PDB file of all heavy atoms in Angstrom:
ATOM      1  N   GLU A  94      84.753 -60.403 -18.806  1.00  0.00           N
ATOM      2  CA  GLU A  94      84.765 -61.581 -17.948  1.00  0.00           C
ATOM      3  C   GLU A  94      85.966 -62.384 -18.403  1.00  0.00           C
ATOM      4  O   GLU A  94      86.065 -62.746 -19.579  1.00  0.00           O
ATOM      5  CB  GLU A  94      83.473 -62.372 -18.119  1.00  0.00           C
ATOM      6  CG  GLU A  94      82.264 -61.530 -17.771  1.00  0.00           C
ATOM      7  CD  GLU A  94      81.053 -62.324 -17.347  1.00  0.00           C
ATOM      8  OE1 GLU A  94      80.943 -63.488 -17.741  1.00  0.00           O
ATOM      9  OE2 GLU A  94      80.225 -61.752 -16.616  1.00  0.00           O
ATOM     10  N   VAL A  96      87.889 -65.706 -18.228  1.00  0.00           N
ATOM     11  CA  VAL A  96      87.654 -67.107 -17.851  1.00  0.00           C
ATOM     12  C   VAL A  96      88.956 -67.886 -18.011  1.00  0.00           C
ATOM     13  O   VAL A  96      89.646 -67.755 -19.026  1.00  0.00           O
ATOM     14  CB  VAL A  96      86.522 -67.726 -18.708  1.00  0.00           C
ATOM     15  CG1 VAL A  96      86.457 -69.242 -18.525  1.00  0.00           C
ATOM     16  CG2 VAL A  96      85.177 -67.095 -18.346  1.00  0.00           C
ATOM     17  N   ARG A  98      90.433 -71.789 -17.938  1.00  0.00           N
ATOM     18  CA  ARG A  98      89.952 -73.177 -18.018  1.00  0.00           C
ATOM     19  C   ARG A  98      91.114 -74.158 -17.917  1.00  0.00           C
ATOM     20  O   ARG A  98      92.138 -73.970 -18.578  1.00  0.00           O
ATOM     21  CB  ARG A  98      89.271 -73.415 -19.373  1.00  0.00           C
ATOM     22  CG  ARG A  98      88.107 -72.496 -19.638  1.00  0.00           C
ATOM     23  CD  ARG A  98      87.544 -72.768 -21.023  1.00  0.00           C
ATOM     24  NE  ARG A  98      86.464 -71.849 -21.350  1.00  0.00           N
ATOM     25  CZ  ARG A  98      85.186 -72.029 -21.029  1.00  0.00           C
ATOM     26  NH1 ARG A  98      84.816 -73.111 -20.356  1.00  0.00           N
ATOM     27  NH2 ARG A  98      84.273 -71.141 -21.383  1.00  0.00           N
ATOM     28  N   ALA A 102      84.582 -77.729 -20.361  1.00  0.00           N
ATOM     29  CA  ALA A 102      83.225 -77.781 -19.812  1.00  0.00           C
ATOM     30  C   ALA A 102      82.436 -76.626 -20.419  1.00  0.00           C
ATOM     31  O   ALA A 102      83.006 -75.742 -21.062  1.00  0.00           O
ATOM     32  CB  ALA A 102      83.245 -77.650 -18.285  1.00  0.00           C
ATOM     33  N   GLY A 103      81.127 -76.647 -20.205  1.00  0.00           N
ATOM     34  CA  GLY A 103      80.255 -75.524 -20.537  1.00  0.00           C
ATOM     35  C   GLY A 103      80.387 -75.041 -21.958  1.00  0.00           C
ATOM     36  O   GLY A 103      80.397 -75.827 -22.910  1.00  0.00           O
ATOM     37  N   SER A 104      80.529 -73.707 -22.088  1.00  0.00           N
ATOM     38  CA  SER A 104      80.476 -73.095 -23.429  1.00  0.00           C
ATOM     39  C   SER A 104      81.666 -73.508 -24.301  1.00  0.00           C
ATOM     40  O   SER A 104      81.564 -73.494 -25.525  1.00  0.00           O
ATOM     41  CB  SER A 104      80.400 -71.568 -23.314  1.00  0.00           C
ATOM     42  OG  SER A 104      81.627 -71.047 -22.871  1.00  0.00           O
ATOM     43  N   LEU A 105      82.786 -73.898 -23.694  1.00  0.00           N
ATOM     44  CA  LEU A 105      83.929 -74.342 -24.512  1.00  0.00           C
ATOM     45  C   LEU A 105      83.543 -75.622 -25.264  1.00  0.00           C
ATOM     46  O   LEU A 105      83.869 -75.778 -26.451  1.00  0.00           O
ATOM     47  CB  LEU A 105      85.156 -74.603 -23.628  1.00  0.00           C
ATOM     48  CG  LEU A 105      86.410 -75.038 -24.379  1.00  0.00           C
ATOM     49  CD1 LEU A 105      86.965 -73.894 -25.238  1.00  0.00           C
ATOM     50  CD2 LEU A 105      87.489 -75.528 -23.427  1.00  0.00           C
ATOM     51  N   ARG A 108      80.895 -74.769 -27.983  1.00  0.00           N
ATOM     52  CA  ARG A 108      81.450 -73.986 -29.086  1.00  0.00           C
ATOM     53  C   ARG A 108      82.347 -74.835 -29.987  1.00  0.00           C
ATOM     54  O   ARG A 108      82.324 -74.700 -31.205  1.00  0.00           O
ATOM     55  CB  ARG A 108      82.246 -72.801 -28.517  1.00  0.00           C
ATOM     56  CG  ARG A 108      82.541 -71.730 -29.538  1.00  0.00           C
ATOM     57  CD  ARG A 108      83.256 -70.504 -28.947  1.00  0.00           C
ATOM     58  NE  ARG A 108      82.846 -70.202 -27.593  1.00  0.00           N
ATOM     59  CZ  ARG A 108      83.658 -70.293 -26.541  1.00  0.00           C
ATOM     60  NH1 ARG A 108      84.908 -70.641 -26.667  1.00  0.00           N
ATOM     61  NH2 ARG A 108      83.216 -70.003 -25.339  1.00  0.00           N
ATOM     62  N   GLU A 123      90.390 -66.900 -21.529  1.00  0.00           N
ATOM     63  CA  GLU A 123      89.455 -66.349 -22.528  1.00  0.00           C
ATOM     64  C   GLU A 123      88.878 -65.038 -22.011  1.00  0.00           C
ATOM     65  O   GLU A 123      88.771 -64.836 -20.799  1.00  0.00           O
ATOM     66  CB  GLU A 123      88.261 -67.289 -22.718  1.00  0.00           C
ATOM     67  CG  GLU A 123      88.557 -68.595 -23.377  1.00  0.00           C
ATOM     68  CD  GLU A 123      87.308 -69.482 -23.426  1.00  0.00           C
ATOM     69  OE1 GLU A 123      86.373 -69.269 -22.627  1.00  0.00           O
ATOM     70  OE2 GLU A 123      87.287 -70.383 -24.254  1.00  0.00           O
ATOM     71  N   TYR A 125      85.456 -62.453 -22.361  1.00  0.00           N
ATOM     72  CA  TYR A 125      84.086 -62.231 -22.831  1.00  0.00           C
ATOM     73  C   TYR A 125      83.752 -60.773 -22.550  1.00  0.00           C
ATOM     74  O   TYR A 125      84.077 -60.262 -21.468  1.00  0.00           O
ATOM     75  CB  TYR A 125      83.098 -63.140 -22.086  1.00  0.00           C
ATOM     76  CG  TYR A 125      83.315 -64.613 -22.377  1.00  0.00           C
ATOM     77  CD1 TYR A 125      84.276 -65.347 -21.668  1.00  0.00           C
ATOM     78  CD2 TYR A 125      82.587 -65.271 -23.362  1.00  0.00           C
ATOM     79  CE1 TYR A 125      84.504 -66.687 -21.945  1.00  0.00           C
ATOM     80  CE2 TYR A 125      82.799 -66.616 -23.644  1.00  0.00           C
ATOM     81  CZ  TYR A 125      83.755 -67.314 -22.932  1.00  0.00           C
ATOM     82  OH  TYR A 125      83.982 -68.639 -23.211  1.00  0.00           O
ATOM     83  N   ASP A 133      77.105 -61.623 -23.470  1.00  0.00           N
ATOM     84  CA  ASP A 133      78.538 -61.730 -23.123  1.00  0.00           C
ATOM     85  C   ASP A 133      79.357 -62.455 -24.201  1.00  0.00           C
ATOM     86  O   ASP A 133      79.867 -63.565 -23.977  1.00  0.00           O
ATOM     87  CB  ASP A 133      78.726 -62.477 -21.780  1.00  0.00           C
ATOM     88  CG  ASP A 133      78.089 -61.755 -20.601  1.00  0.00           C
ATOM     89  OD1 ASP A 133      77.805 -60.554 -20.718  1.00  0.00           O
ATOM     90  OD2 ASP A 133      77.877 -62.404 -19.564  1.00  0.00           O
ATOM     91  N   ASP A 179      87.171 -74.731 -14.128  1.00  0.00           N
ATOM     92  CA  ASP A 179      87.305 -73.398 -14.738  1.00  0.00           C
ATOM     93  C   ASP A 179      86.744 -72.352 -13.783  1.00  0.00           C
ATOM     94  O   ASP A 179      86.105 -72.694 -12.788  1.00  0.00           O
ATOM     95  CB  ASP A 179      86.617 -73.330 -16.123  1.00  0.00           C
ATOM     96  CG  ASP A 179      85.141 -73.682 -16.071  1.00  0.00           C
ATOM     97  OD1 ASP A 179      84.488 -73.453 -15.045  1.00  0.00           O
ATOM     98  OD2 ASP A 179      84.622 -74.202 -17.079  1.00  0.00           O
ATOM     99  N   PHE A 180      87.000 -71.104 -14.061  1.00  0.00           N
ATOM    100  CA  PHE A 180      86.446 -70.033 -13.231  1.00  0.00           C
ATOM    101  C   PHE A 180      86.489 -68.722 -13.991  1.00  0.00           C
ATOM    102  O   PHE A 180      87.178 -68.589 -14.999  1.00  0.00           O
ATOM    103  CB  PHE A 180      87.192 -69.901 -11.888  1.00  0.00           C
ATOM    104  CG  PHE A 180      88.665 -69.611 -12.023  1.00  0.00           C
ATOM    105  CD1 PHE A 180      89.149 -68.310 -11.924  1.00  0.00           C
ATOM    106  CD2 PHE A 180      89.569 -70.626 -12.249  1.00  0.00           C
ATOM    107  CE1 PHE A 180      90.504 -68.032 -12.042  1.00  0.00           C
ATOM    108  CE2 PHE A 180      90.937 -70.365 -12.369  1.00  0.00           C
ATOM    109  CZ  PHE A 180      91.398 -69.066 -12.275  1.00  0.00           C
ATOM    110  N   LYS A 181      85.722 -67.757 -13.460  1.00  0.00           N
ATOM    111  CA  LYS A 181      85.612 -66.442 -14.097  1.00  0.00           C
ATOM    112  C   LYS A 181      86.100 -65.364 -13.147  1.00  0.00           C
ATOM    113  O   LYS A 181      85.790 -65.409 -11.945  1.00  0.00           O
ATOM    114  CB  LYS A 181      84.136 -66.204 -14.450  1.00  0.00           C
ATOM    115  CG  LYS A 181      83.840 -64.971 -15.231  1.00  0.00           C
ATOM    116  CD  LYS A 181      83.313 -63.805 -14.440  1.00  0.00           C
ATOM    117  CE  LYS A 181      82.127 -64.066 -13.575  1.00  0.00           C
ATOM    118  NZ  LYS A 181      81.684 -62.872 -12.831  1.00  0.00           N
ATOM    119  N   ASP A 205      79.643 -69.757  -7.468  1.00  0.00           N
ATOM    120  CA  ASP A 205      78.827 -69.156  -8.536  1.00  0.00           C
ATOM    121  C   ASP A 205      79.667 -68.917  -9.787  1.00  0.00           C
ATOM    122  O   ASP A 205      79.129 -68.843 -10.888  1.00  0.00           O
ATOM    123  CB  ASP A 205      78.291 -67.778  -8.089  1.00  0.00           C
ATOM    124  CG  ASP A 205      76.904 -67.871  -7.477  1.00  0.00           C
ATOM    125  OD1 ASP A 205      76.396 -69.002  -7.334  1.00  0.00           O
ATOM    126  OD2 ASP A 205      76.333 -66.812  -7.136  1.00  0.00           O
ATOM    127  N   SER A 206      80.966 -68.727  -9.595  1.00  0.00           N
ATOM    128  CA  SER A 206      81.795 -68.318 -10.735  1.00  0.00           C
ATOM    129  C   SER A 206      82.895 -69.341 -11.047  1.00  0.00           C
ATOM    130  O   SER A 206      83.848 -69.037 -11.747  1.00  0.00           O
ATOM    131  CB  SER A 206      82.417 -66.946 -10.444  1.00  0.00           C
ATOM    132  OG  SER A 206      83.123 -66.974  -9.223  1.00  0.00           O
ATOM    133  N   MET A 207      82.730 -70.557 -10.491  1.00  0.00           N
ATOM    134  CA  MET A 207      83.747 -71.610 -10.730  1.00  0.00           C
ATOM    135  C   MET A 207      83.034 -72.912 -11.031  1.00  0.00           C
ATOM    136  O   MET A 207      81.884 -73.101 -10.653  1.00  0.00           O
ATOM    137  CB  MET A 207      84.519 -71.892  -9.435  1.00  0.00           C
ATOM    138  CG  MET A 207      85.367 -70.807  -8.911  1.00  0.00           C
ATOM    139  SD  MET A 207      86.316 -71.450  -7.509  1.00  0.00           S
ATOM    140  CE  MET A 207      85.278 -71.031  -6.165  1.00  0.00           C
ATOM    141  N   ARG A 208      83.784 -73.828 -11.633  1.00  0.00           N
ATOM    142  CA  ARG A 208      83.323 -75.222 -11.675  1.00  0.00           C
ATOM    143  C   ARG A 208      84.284 -76.030 -10.805  1.00  0.00           C
ATOM    144  O   ARG A 208      85.496 -76.019 -11.034  1.00  0.00           O
ATOM    145  CB  ARG A 208      83.321 -75.781 -13.094  1.00  0.00           C
ATOM    146  CG  ARG A 208      82.203 -75.238 -13.953  1.00  0.00           C
ATOM    147  CD  ARG A 208      82.018 -76.034 -15.238  1.00  0.00           C
ATOM    148  NE  ARG A 208      80.801 -75.642 -15.906  1.00  0.00           N
ATOM    149  CZ  ARG A 208      80.736 -74.698 -16.844  1.00  0.00           C
ATOM    150  NH1 ARG A 208      81.824 -74.076 -17.236  1.00  0.00           N
ATOM    151  NH2 ARG A 208      79.583 -74.387 -17.397  1.00  0.00           N
ATOM    152  N   ARG A 224      72.363 -74.986 -12.953  1.00  0.00           N
ATOM    153  CA  ARG A 224      72.183 -74.944 -14.410  1.00  0.00           C
ATOM    154  C   ARG A 224      71.544 -76.237 -14.919  1.00  0.00           C
ATOM    155  O   ARG A 224      70.708 -76.214 -15.798  1.00  0.00           O
ATOM    156  CB  ARG A 224      73.531 -74.771 -15.125  1.00  0.00           C
ATOM    157  CG  ARG A 224      74.228 -73.448 -14.880  1.00  0.00           C
ATOM    158  CD  ARG A 224      75.432 -73.307 -15.813  1.00  0.00           C
ATOM    159  NE  ARG A 224      76.230 -72.134 -15.508  1.00  0.00           N
ATOM    160  CZ  ARG A 224      77.324 -72.151 -14.734  1.00  0.00           C
ATOM    161  NH1 ARG A 224      77.763 -73.273 -14.206  1.00  0.00           N
ATOM    162  NH2 ARG A 224      77.980 -71.039 -14.506  1.00  0.00           N
TER     163      ARG A 224
HETATM  164  N1  UDP B 301      80.955 -67.871 -15.582  1.00  0.00           N
HETATM  165  C1  UDP B 301      80.471 -66.924 -14.707  1.00  0.00           C
HETATM  166  N2  UDP B 301      79.628 -65.955 -15.168  1.00  0.00           N
HETATM  167  C2  UDP B 301      79.228 -65.903 -16.464  1.00  0.00           C
HETATM  168  C3  UDP B 301      79.702 -66.880 -17.352  1.00  0.00           C
HETATM  169  C4  UDP B 301      80.561 -67.852 -16.876  1.00  0.00           C
HETATM  170  O1  UDP B 301      80.819 -66.917 -13.533  1.00  0.00           O
HETATM  171  O2  UDP B 301      78.459 -64.984 -16.828  1.00  0.00           O
HETATM  172  C5  UDP B 301      81.856 -68.915 -15.084  1.00  0.00           C
HETATM  173  C6  UDP B 301      81.188 -70.274 -15.030  1.00  0.00           C
HETATM  174  O3  UDP B 301      80.645 -70.526 -13.767  1.00  0.00           O
HETATM  175  C7  UDP B 301      82.333 -71.208 -15.330  1.00  0.00           C
HETATM  176  C8  UDP B 301      83.275 -70.398 -16.219  1.00  0.00           C
HETATM  177  O4  UDP B 301      82.931 -69.033 -16.005  1.00  0.00           O
HETATM  178  O5  UDP B 301      83.016 -71.533 -14.134  1.00  0.00           O
HETATM  179  C9  UDP B 301      83.153 -70.735 -17.687  1.00  0.00           C
HETATM  180  O6  UDP B 301      81.815 -70.642 -18.062  1.00  0.00           O
HETATM  181  P1  UDP B 301      81.332 -71.011 -19.547  1.00  0.00           P
HETATM  182  O7  UDP B 301      81.951 -70.068 -20.515  1.00  0.00           O
HETATM  183  O8  UDP B 301      81.562 -72.457 -19.782  1.00  0.00           O
HETATM  184  O9  UDP B 301      79.837 -70.617 -19.575  1.00  0.00           O
HETATM  185  P2  UDP B 301      78.479 -71.271 -19.126  1.00  0.00           P
HETATM  186  O10 UDP B 301      78.635 -72.744 -19.093  1.00  0.00           O
HETATM  187  O11 UDP B 301      78.253 -70.642 -17.789  1.00  0.00           O
HETATM  188  O12 UDP B 301      77.557 -70.780 -20.180  1.00  0.00           O
END
Side-chain angles (χ1 to χ4, degrees):
E94 301 205 335
V96 169
R98 302 178 183 274
S104 71
L105 181 68
R108 196 176 326 114
E123 291 176 339
Y125 295 84
D133 298 342
D179 58 30
F180 59 97
K181 186 260 307 180
D205 266 4
S206 55
M207 294 187 267
R208 287 193 170 92
R224 294 189 187 96

